[in-house]
Amino acid sequence: MKKHSKVLVLLLAMCLMLTCIAGCGNGGADGTPTGGVGSGSSDSEGNTPAAGSKMVGDLEVPEGQQTVLNVGITSDPENLAPEAAMGSASFCKGVIYERLFDYNPLNISEIIPVMVESYEWLDDTHLQCTLFDHIFDTNGNQIKAEDAVWSVIHCKDTVYKQKAADIVDEETYAVDEYTFVIGYTTKNFLWSDNLAGIDIVSQKSFEESVDGMMTTPVGSGTYKLESYQDGSSMTLVRNENYWMTEEDAAKNGAYLHSQNISKIVFKIIPDATQQIIEFNAGTIDMLRQVPTVSLPDCMEDPTIDLFPAAATQMKYLYYNCSDDSQMKDVNLRRAVSYAINNDDIVVGGYDGFVNKSTQIVASWAQEYVEGWEPYPFDTAKAKECLAESNYNGEPLVIIYSAENPSDVVLAQIIMEELRAVGISSRIEEIETASFTSTQTQITTGWDICITAAKQTNTILFTYYNTLNVHANCRGHWNRYDTSGNAERFQELEDQALPDAVENFDLIKEAQAILEDQCVIYPMHEVTQYYGLRSGIDMDQLYVAPGNFYFGDFYPTADATWLLESAS
């Protein structure tokens, strides 16, 4: 996949994968995969390495050398615990922890078993799963049914409690050493996606951790933590005793991740300009997201490959509808929405490198209506709604996460557009570690939040995970609305939850309520441009929703910089 393809490949990038299991396998002590391409004495073209050397992909690794990847991230992960806040932590943790189910690289909307050897529904609300009997974490503790039950219930005490909101504790239990049952309050079509978002760990390892795994994560994934220096760097190394085999993966159609990289060093560089300087200088090999202003130059640089991945997310403005915010006034929310020119955001904020959104639902979802735009840019209409509101002239506070420094450009554009219709505002950056709790808990201090929410093939997923009064409710509309609209919206959400296809009419009614009440404003479908030094075979690189699996990097003979990093 070439960097010059730009937006042509955006929707395809999130589903990239190795075309066959060849090239996958557990890693040997010397950094060479023990199975698939690269595990023998020659590369994919039959070239034989020098005596004492090994082939990792098509790269010859001299004896005593290792492959090291230096990755630039914008903020300190701070919390590496299971179900900790997103941001840099999620990017780093993807190879540390594992889950019962994961996304199928062949079809991103399909969930496949990973730690689960087999499963069945006993009835509409009880799921029985059996774990593989040889899953061990990097502490040497075996993960069994009791650990899976503990992990699922523990999720309710985290910021991602919505993943387990419909799970009944008393009906979730271990049947035997490796078999357990998860009980739900009602039939829930989102069950698999929710379980694919819960990290499974050994209860013993968690309880023995000095800080609840915040800086001492212990999982069963392909990599493990070697060192962590607050504010500086974090280093992961290959898990030499990774449990999954080719036979395990083949049994469920799972994807067996490679361990082609011996060591992954995450370097914390908050300043985006400094990140690009170090990327161009070669002191870091990969950027999670190349700043928009740097994309044109990177596209012309033959030593850099850009990998545009259309994440399963949309960028929104969430309006704080609580009693402590002026945005509780629906007419003020409408005024703000009409005042924003989304075309300015796409061009001014992203130089045209993203797809504009006009609806709450993504353009590829079943509820999307071609040509429909509930709140088009209309300054006259914005001023009309503002006159009907109770706006008192005080500045509205626009917040964004420090994890996404490019969001400040969006905030500045929005601030100017609000000023043009008579609305004052100011911008505030929120530290990554507290951003999720800031936007999801009942809190004062902000009026408009710039954030992203995950999308699947139905908007019901977004309703359930971000606008559910029983769990995670961003903006707090459901908790404070007294018009009856929020109550009806919640009823429709609950009724539709068992089957999104069968209850399509209910979802459409809920969508109409949400758009009328102007609870959130959609801006664009998120696209991440990963930057990587040339020499990795992009066509053999698997990307989960929004994240790389670093060990799957397939080095070509040109990726000698991986060795230079280790010298």
Side-chain angles (χ1 to χ4, degrees):
M1 186 170 296
K2 302 301 182 183
K3 56 179 176 289
H4 300 290
S5 300
K6 285 190 178 180
V7 294
L8 180 64
V9 295
L10 293 182
L11 293 178
L12 296 177
M14 69 178 177
C15 296
L16 275 181
M17 58 161 289
L18 291 173
T19 55
C20 61
I21 289 294
C24 301
N26 298 340
D30 56 7
T32 306
T34 57
V37 175
S39 62
S41 58
S42 60
D43 64 10
S44 61
E45 297 181 355
N47 298 316
T48 303
S53 297
K54 297 290 183 180
M55 299 305 300
V56 177
D58 292 333
L59 177 67
E60 184 175 335
V61 180
E63 185 175 7
Q65 285 267 16
Q66 58 182 342
T67 51
V68 178
L69 181 75
N70 294 292
V71 184
I73 56 177
T74 56
S75 62
D76 199 313
E78 294 188 16
N79 192 342
L80 297 168
E83 279 72 62
M86 297 293 280
S88 290
S90 65
F91 190 54
C92 306
K93 286 162 45 184
V95 294
I96 297 177
Y97 297 116
E98 289 184 307
R99 297 165 179 183
L100 299 174
F101 298 83
D102 204 348
Y103 299 95
N104 183 355
L106 284 170
N107 179 3
I108 211 70
S109 65
E110 179 187 350
I111 303 296
I112 54 177
V114 177
M115 304 176 79
V116 173
E117 183 176 23
S118 62
Y119 69 97
E120 64 174 322
W121 282 96
L122 303 179
D123 54 43
D124 279 351
T125 58
H126 292 86
L127 174 68
Q128 181 169 289
C129 300
T130 299
L131 296 174
F132 284 99
D133 63 3
H134 51 275
I135 304 175
F136 288 83
D137 68 15
T138 54
N139 272 354
N141 291 319
Q142 189 172 6
I143 296 178
K144 299 182 179 181
E146 291 283 5
D147 299 298
V149 169
W150 181 87
S151 297
V152 168
I153 294 176
H154 169 73
C155 182
K156 292 187 175 184
D157 295 326
T158 73
V159 294
Y160 292 103
K161 59 185 179 180
Q162 77 274 13
K163 296 291 185 181
D166 283 348
I167 292 175
V168 182
D169 293 9
E170 296 77 15
E171 297 180 29
T172 301
Y173 56 90
V175 176
D176 56 37
E177 245 190 330
Y178 304 109
T179 302
F180 59 96
V181 170
I182 299 177
Y184 290 87
T185 57
T186 183
K187 183 181 178 183
N188 180 352
F189 93 102
L190 295 171
W191 71 270
S192 57
D193 196 282
N194 287 334
L195 290 184
I198 300 177
D199 298 321
I200 305 299
V201 298
S202 159
Q203 182 179 357
K204 183 175 186 292
S205 289
F206 186 89
E207 292 176 346
E208 288 178 349
S209 168
V210 295
D211 60 358
M213 294 191 182
M214 287 181 62
T215 61
T216 56
V218 178
S220 60
T222 48
Y223 287 80
K224 63 182 180 180
L225 181 70
E226 180 182 69
S227 63
Y228 175 49
Q229 294 179 302
D230 185 26
S232 176
S233 65
M234 183 177 77
T235 300
L236 304 182
V237 295
R238 190 179 51 254
N239 177 5
E240 304 288 1
N241 299 309
Y242 184 52
W243 65 274
M244 188 184 289
T245 67
E246 291 186 8
E247 291 74 20
D248 296 335
K251 183 167 186 176
N252 288 324
Y255 180 85
L256 179 59
H257 294 294
S258 300
Q259 296 174 300
N260 289 329
I261 305 299
S262 305
K263 181 181 292 187
I264 309 163
V265 181
F266 295 96
K267 296 185 176 182
I268 301 162
I269 309 170
D271 183 72
T273 301
Q274 185 62 32
Q275 275 199 358
I276 280 293
I277 291 173
E278 296 200 29
F279 185 41
N280 289 334
T283 54
I284 57 176
D285 309 314
M286 177 183 170
L287 287 181
R288 181 184 185 186
Q289 185 160 356
V290 176
T292 302
V293 294
S294 302
L295 286 174
D297 288 341
C298 287
M299 286 179 174
E300 298 303 321
D301 189 335
T303 68
I304 292 174
D305 283 331
L306 290 182
F307 190 82
T312 55
Q313 289 184 318
M314 281 177 59
K315 183 80 79 171
Y316 294 99
L317 297 182
Y318 277 83
Y319 299 142
N320 189 340
C321 302
S322 72
D323 290 340
D324 296 310
S325 170
Q326 293 189 75
M327 295 299 288
K328 67 182 179 181
D329 186 333
V330 66
N331 285 313
L332 181 56
R333 299 198 296 267
R334 290 168 178 161
V336 169
S337 297
Y338 279 122
I340 297 172
N341 186 343
N342 223 342
D343 291 321
D344 284 349
I345 289 175
V346 169
V347 176
Y350 296 94
D351 201 22
F353 287 107
V354 298
N355 295 326
K356 170 184 172 180
S357 299
T358 61
Q359 300 164 42
I360 296 166
V361 66
S363 60
W364 38 268
Q366 61 180 342
E367 296 89 354
Y368 182 79
V369 179
E370 192 69 41
W372 172 239
E373 188 170 1
Y375 291 93
F377 173 56
D378 189 330
T379 55
K381 190 68 175 176
K383 291 178 180 179
E384 180 183 324
C385 291
L386 183 62
E388 295 174 357
S389 75
N390 295 316
Y391 176 59
N392 62 15
E394 293 183 5
L396 301 179
V397 179
I398 304 172
I399 65 170
Y400 69 94
S401 171
E403 174 68 18
N404 301 304
S406 61
D407 283 355
V408 70
V409 179
L410 310 188
Q412 290 168 344
I413 293 172
I414 292 167
M415 186 168 63
E416 286 303 308
E417 292 177 337
L418 295 184
R419 184 191 59 78
V421 299
I423 301 174
S424 176
S425 61
R426 63 181 178 85
I427 303 169
E428 183 176 334
E429 181 181 272
I430 305 296
E431 287 301 315
T432 303
S434 59
F435 184 73
T436 299
S437 59
T438 298
Q439 65 173 327
T440 57
Q441 295 175 5
I442 298 176
T443 181
T444 58
W446 67 273
D447 300 293
I448 301 172
C449 175
I450 300 175
T451 189
K454 182 181 174 183
Q455 292 276 293
T456 62
N457 61 345
T458 173
I459 193 63
L460 185 54
F461 177 94
T462 301
Y463 292 168
Y464 180 77
N465 283 284
T466 64
L467 292 164
N468 185 343
V469 72
H470 305 310
N472 177 11
C473 185
R474 307 185 193 190
H476 323 306
W477 172 64
N478 283 3
R479 297 171 182 167
Y480 287 93
D481 178 79
T482 58
S483 66
N485 285 295
E487 182 179 0
R488 177 57 180 162
F489 175 84
Q490 189 65 49
E491 289 175 355
L492 291 164
E493 178 186 313
D494 293 340
Q495 292 169 16
L497 196 58
D499 192 318
V501 176
E502 181 180 313
N503 298 314
F504 183 76
D505 289 343
L506 299 178
I507 298 172
K508 292 295 291 183
E509 183 181 342
Q511 184 179 349
I513 291 174
L514 204 61
E515 289 173 340
D516 175 70
Q517 291 298 296
C518 196
V519 179
I520 57 181
Y521 178 85
M523 290 190 290
H524 59 269
E525 295 170 8
V526 174
T527 301
Q528 283 187 247
Y529 282 83
Y530 295 94
L532 188 62
R533 294 174 68 185
S534 295
I536 301 298
D537 187 341
M538 291 297 204
D539 292 327
Q540 298 198 66
L541 185 58
Y542 166 48
V543 177
N547 282 319
F548 277 114
Y549 279 86
F550 300 97
D552 292 344
F553 284 13
Y554 189 90
T556 70
D558 295 327
T560 53
W561 47 269
L562 283 170
L563 303 178
E564 292 167 357
S565 300
S567 60

